[in-house]
Amino acid sequence: MGDMGDWTVDQGRASDLEESWLAEDQEAWEKRSILFLDDCPTRCHWAQKHLKPYGRFTASRTAANCILWIGQRAHDEVYLDHDLDGEAWANPHGKNTGFEVVRWIVLNKPEIGKIIVHSMNTPQGNRMAKALRRHGYDAEYRSWMTIVGEAD
């Protein structure tokens, strides 16, 4: 786990699955589970600040560990980035991309309420959301700047 001040970001160790941050409001935690995939510490920190108050919040920085989290429990909201490992315009066929998570979701059909693809890579973000919708998921692509603008 990588320390980011007052919270911890998951960096891919399955043994740490039990470590996620709970909202201050226990009732909100019991009602909602939010999973956020992004490799950028700044965006993870922003999401923690803005999403954690609404439920059980977990941030993951790798596709593999995001898949582990999705397989552990149902999630009300899942936010997916496409380009991971600090890459811009990553190969969508790579193993550490948001599209790898989408492939796993499509094959395994976990329970997810809403999926928001927030990648700055618009072509791949749209492709991810479309693939998820085609398989029955409530999914949409929203640019990162749109999400930030809505919260502030």
Side-chain angles (χ1 to χ4, degrees), residues 46 50 116 140 142-152:
W46 181 94
H50 289 88
I116 298 170
E140 67 178 279
R142 291 174 32 203
S143 72
W144 177 250
M145 296 313 292
T146 302
I147 292 172
V148 171
E150 290 171 0
D152 291 333

Side-chain angles (χ1 to χ4, degrees), residues 56-67:
R56 182 180 184 146
F57 176 84
T58 305
S60 182
R61 296 182 66 187
T62 68
N65 221 48
C66 183
I67 289 167

Side-chain angles (χ1 to χ4, degrees), residues 110-150:
E111 185 180 336
I112 301 173
K114 174 127 185 113
I115 302 171
I116 298 170
V117 180
H118 67 269
S119 181
M120 292 186 0
N121 184 336
T122 301
Q124 293 306 324
N126 280 319
R127 183 173 170 243
M128 290 167 61
K130 183 178 179 179
L132 290 161
R133 284 192 303 271
R134 193 170 46 241
H135 289 274
Y137 284 94
D138 181 5
E140 67 178 279
Y141 169 74
R142 291 174 32 203
S143 72
W144 177 250
M145 296 313 292
T146 302
I147 292 172
V148 171
E150 290 171 0

